[in-house]
Amino acid sequence: MLATPLALFAASGTASAAPVPPRTPMTDFNHDGHADLAVAAPFGTVGGVEKAGYISVVYGTASGPGTARHQMISRATPGVPGDLQGTFAFGVQTLPGDLDGDSYTDLLVTSGGDEGEPTVLWGSKDGLTGQNTVLPYRYSEFALGDFNGDGKRDLVVNSDPSDDPDVSGMTIQYGPFTRDGKTRTQDSITTGDGPSGLRSFITGDLTGDGVDDIVTTHGFEEMQHEARFWKGSRTGVGHTSKTLGTAYSGTVGDVDGDGYGDLITRDIGSVTEVIDSAPGSITIQYGSSTGPGNTRKKVITQATAGVPGASEANDAFGASLSAGDVNGDGRAEVAVGVPGESLGAATGTGAVILLKGASKAAGGMTGKGAIAYSQSTAGVPGVSESGDDFGRQVSLSDLNKDGKADLTATAPGEDGAFADSGALWNLYGSASGLTTTGAGTLSPAKLGAPEKDAKFGHTLGG
């Protein structure tokens, strides 16, 4: 989604007022007006410690992210808490957002190992810094949004203070944060599931009131349960929800241009035991003043008319999703990662399919006008090879400040000097859609970062 001034989040809105399209603030760690990227290589070797992991911070320029300025951050970076020897997969989850309200984007990072508490890296004019800040949630899922409409980033985590092992829920910390990781207010909501019931979050404004809402996904072991919608308001997130059908992950964007954010989710049904072995399916549930529902929704797969390719086992269509207006027509496109897509004899090369936004009068988003991008696409650097995993992560954001969303796509299985060192690609938006003109690629080798087993791009923030 495209960046917008934070003041927009404080705009008032009611059910009768014109809806406010969803927006996400720009990721700008040094507040220079250019969008930045945080690219995780969670299995990279750091200081001789295998699979310790690191994050590459790529700072933006007027022409987009490049190699001009790069920062590598790990547990070995001065100021970052924790011991490198006790770390596994630093960067396995990354969330950018201005947590302390100083206009510099910060980065929340999680990892495994003994140092499992999430770490906050604080933005500054010199970029991200570590200041020994950890949050007391070990091995949890997180999401950010403005859930009370005050213009500050709030944090939701799948942690409930109840001592009852049969209860799960979420805790919302309402920003801004202080540098000790605390906020003035927080609220806990019980979802009623068992201890592993709440799996992840999708956040964004789905009611057009300028306040972000929360969609929670649920399941236990290999079973996926129904997702739930929790409405944000000027007084915070309500404690009642409505069910939406099964969903695994997703994004929010106004794909039909009616001003309401729409919910786009990855849905492979009720069994998720080997999720990437499925062909893949996404569901669009259109937003309204009361949020998304089950009455107006659409399912899109690679068997849908106009969508490139075929719906085949192991494609994992929808493994990553992002929404943003690529051509500036007021309707969001949706980038769909298809990391298991096979091209010719090469298997698991991967691709990204861009679904075109369409007006409500035209029936909303379909497969019409969809385009596939891969390393076999003319103008895209590289060569499609087996196991590249191209499209594992996708993001649509305005990287060059022209008012149009640009695509960032990663391939953590891309080979460099070592197997699975990983890489990413940037393709830029235009009035006619995504263009491969000026397409660029970044990798550990180009950034001077460790390559061995890095899986650069396994996680993407920005």
Side-chain angles (χ1 to χ4, degrees):
M1 291 174 282
L2 294 185
T4 193
L6 284 175
L8 181 118
F9 287 89
S12 60
T14 66
S16 60
V20 179
R23 293 292 187 270
T24 300
M26 175 192 294
T27 296
D28 187 0
F29 300 120
N30 57 359
H31 193 47
D32 66 353
H34 301 299
D36 306 320
L37 294 174
V39 189
F43 307 109
T45 299
V46 180
V49 179
E50 294 185 353
K51 301 187 185 302
Y54 64 86
I55 296 169
S56 283
V57 183
V58 184
Y59 290 94
T61 69
S63 57
T67 59
R69 188 172 176 215
H70 161 251
Q71 186 180 16
M72 180 182 137
I73 300 176
S74 71
R75 293 285 187 197
T77 301
V80 176
D83 183 359
L84 186 63
Q85 298 294 329
T87 297
F88 173 76
F90 183 77
V92 71
Q93 185 180 12
T94 58
L95 283 176
D98 180 9
L99 294 176
D100 58 356
D102 65 354
S103 298
Y104 294 93
T105 304
D106 311 303
L107 189 68
L108 178 65
V109 183
T110 68
S111 66
D114 296 335
E115 308 295 342
E117 294 90 354
T119 298
V120 179
L121 306 174
W122 300 100
S124 73
K125 64 180 180 60
D126 298 317
L128 288 177
T129 63
Q131 294 188 356
N132 199 35
T133 303
V134 296
L135 299 180
Y137 303 109
R138 184 180 286 265
Y139 310 131
S140 299
E141 293 293 324
F142 300 86
L144 292 171
D146 181 9
F147 307 125
N148 60 2
D150 66 354
K152 309 297 182 184
R153 296 282 88 186
D154 309 315
L155 177 72
V156 59
V157 56
N158 64 337
S159 175
D160 187 279
S162 173
D163 293 329
D164 187 340
D166 294 323
V167 170
S168 67
M170 57 184 171
T171 295
I172 303 165
Q173 288 189 254
Y174 290 99
F177 283 72
T178 55
R179 290 299 177 95
D180 59 1
K182 293 181 171 56
T183 57
R184 287 177 295 179
T185 59
Q186 71 176 43
D187 187 23
S188 294
I189 301 174
T190 298
T191 62
D193 295 296
S196 301
L198 201 166
R199 280 186 164 161
S200 64
F201 304 99
I202 307 162
T203 63
D205 183 5
L206 292 156
T207 61
D209 63 356
V211 182
D212 287 339
D213 310 298
I214 299 173
V215 173
T216 52
T217 71
H218 301 261
F220 184 70
E221 294 181 343
E222 77 280 4
M223 302 305 296
Q224 190 71 20
H225 301 161
E226 289 184 315
R228 302 180 194 176
F229 167 77
W230 308 81
K231 189 181 185 310
S233 73
R234 302 293 163 176
T235 57
V237 178
H239 284 226
T240 59
S241 66
K242 65 177 179 180
T243 56
L244 298 174
T246 55
Y248 188 81
S249 57
T251 190
V252 174
D254 181 10
V255 302
D256 62 357
D258 67 353
Y260 294 104
D262 306 311
L263 179 66
I264 306 103
T265 58
R266 180 187 191 186
D267 182 15
I268 64 167
S270 59
V271 181
T272 59
E273 187 172 10
V274 189
I275 187 168
D276 280 357
S277 66
S281 172
I282 68 169
T283 300
I284 302 169
Q285 291 170 279
Y286 288 91
S288 69
S289 60
T290 58
N294 293 313
T295 55
R296 185 179 173 228
K297 68 179 183 180
K298 187 172 295 182
V299 175
I300 296 178
T301 71
Q302 283 188 276
T304 300
V307 178
S311 187
E312 301 167 315
N314 304 310
D315 280 348
F317 179 84
S320 181
L321 296 166
S322 185
D325 186 0
V326 168
N327 57 11
D329 67 354
R331 297 183 290 269
E333 278 67 53
V334 174
V336 183
V338 197
E341 182 85 342
S342 296
L343 301 174
T347 60
T349 57
V352 176
I353 293 177
L354 189 74
L355 300 175
K356 186 176 175 55
S359 68
K360 189 174 183 177
M365 180 170 282
T366 64
K368 184 178 180 180
I371 302 175
Y373 297 89
S374 70
Q375 290 185 75
S376 296
T377 302
V380 176
V383 177
S384 293
E385 300 167 316
S386 293
D388 278 347
D389 214 26
F390 186 91
R392 174 55 59 184
Q393 293 290 323
V394 296
S395 175
L396 289 175
S397 62
D398 187 3
L399 298 174
N400 58 3
K401 295 183 68 173
D402 67 353
K404 299 176 180 64
D406 310 305
L407 172 68
T408 300
T410 73
E414 177 80 357
D415 295 340
F418 294 88
D420 297 339
S421 57
L424 69 75
W425 286 257
N426 290 317
L427 278 66
Y428 293 92
S430 72
S432 59
L434 280 182
T435 175
T436 59
T437 301
T441 182
L442 294 170
S443 65
K446 286 190 175 184
L447 298 170
E451 285 192 79
K452 185 180 178 181
D453 302 321
K455 290 190 179 292
F456 180 88
H458 181 276
T459 309
L460 183 63

